[in-house]
Amino acid sequence: MKELDIIHELTKGCNLAPKMNGVGDDCALLQGNGIVTTDTMVEGVHFDDRLSPSDVGWKLVAVNASDIAAMGRYPSWATLNLTLPKAKNKDWLIEFSKGMRSALSEWDISLVGGDVVRGHKHVVASMTMGAFGRKKLVWQHEAAVKNTIWVTGYLGEAAAGFFDKNEEGLKWLRRPYPPIEFGHNLGNIGIATSMIDISDGLHQDLTRLCMR
């Protein structure tokens, strides 16, 4: 099953928030005009030994902050859920924490809670992040025929690091730096009809945007 098929199956018949503008956006809208998103990274699936523990901590914050920016907001708080196998020692945790704290500090995000548990195999790091604001959110479903498509940054850099071990690509794979302020400013200006985080690749995410 594809990701969207899984999401629709899980949410079918559920009591969804009354203000939710459909399932599939980068964030969900809460009462009080706040938004929230969550992202998970699993060892062996989303990262391997090409990333240091510090890189993993940084990247976990960055991918969540990117979702917030894709809605035209600036991230303000986060919680962390961490599953650690016994094989991961104290040094791994110290380095992971350094990377996470560095990214939280970079975008002035407060860590407000979370949970740590033991697991049998993989490291599972899941972060939930949110933001508040009164400006109108930028939803995916408001894209319209004849809109022009714009992207930020250089497409395929992280993929070059992942598949070809390209040194420049590895830098972006390890330490992505999403345009948080740019997305927030676009939301404030109000010129973007729709935005989406394209971490899954331009083809896949543009297809999602067109389907909304």
Side-chain angles (χ1 to χ4, degrees):
M1 296 177 70
K2 295 182 179 180
E3 182 181 6
L4 286 179
D5 295 329
I6 295 171
I7 292 172
H8 285 300
E9 184 62 32
L10 290 171
T11 56
K12 186 168 56 180
C14 290
N15 182 24
L16 300 179
K19 289 187 177 181
M20 183 174 284
N21 283 268
V23 174
D25 275 282
D26 289 295
C27 301
L29 179 64
L30 307 176
Q31 288 186 338
N33 210 26
I35 59 173
V36 64
T37 187
T38 189
D39 216 313
T40 302
M41 292 176 58
V42 179
E43 186 177 26
V45 179
H46 301 100
F47 65 92
D48 53 27
D49 57 9
R50 283 171 290 189
L51 272 68
S52 69
S54 182
D55 292 332
V56 176
W58 171 281
K59 190 169 185 175
L60 182 64
V61 175
V63 296
N64 278 276
S66 181
D67 284 344
I68 297 289
M71 302 288 289
R73 289 277 175 83
Y74 200 93
S76 54
W77 60 266
T79 64
L80 172 71
N81 287 331
L82 189 61
T83 303
L84 287 171
K86 291 182 179 179
K88 295 298 177 186
N89 57 28
K90 184 178 179 180
D91 291 339
W92 192 98
L93 182 61
I94 290 172
E95 289 303 309
F96 171 86
S97 300
K98 285 181 180 178
M100 182 186 68
R101 285 196 301 269
S102 180
L104 290 171
S105 176
E106 178 70 25
W107 291 297
D108 195 24
I109 302 167
S110 298
L111 185 65
V112 298
D115 190 28
V116 179
V117 297
R118 284 287 185 190
H120 295 295
K121 287 186 177 181
H122 301 305
V123 174
V124 179
S126 179
M127 180 166 279
T128 299
M129 190 174 290
F132 290 93
R134 297 197 175 278
K135 293 289 184 180
K136 182 178 180 290
L137 290 167
V138 185
W139 296 100
Q140 293 177 17
H141 72 273
E142 292 182 347
V145 175
K146 296 185 179 180
N147 280 169
T148 56
I149 305 297
W150 295 72
V151 297
T152 59
Y154 297 95
L155 299 178
E157 285 185 320
F162 185 83
F163 292 109
D164 300 329
K165 297 186 178 180
N166 173 281
E167 282 302 317
E168 184 66 16
L170 281 171
K171 181 180 76 173
W172 292 105
L173 178 68
R174 292 166 177 154
R175 295 280 173 135
Y177 198 92
I180 306 303
E181 290 197 12
F182 185 76
H184 177 238
N185 290 337
L186 276 180
N188 283 336
I189 295 170
I191 61 173
T193 59
S194 179
M195 293 196 294
I196 187 172
D197 173 90
I198 58 170
S199 56
D200 288 333
L202 178 63
H203 180 270
Q204 183 167 325
D205 285 324
L206 182 57
T207 300
R208 290 171 176 169
L209 194 67
C210 293
M211 291 173 61
R212 297 304 303 273

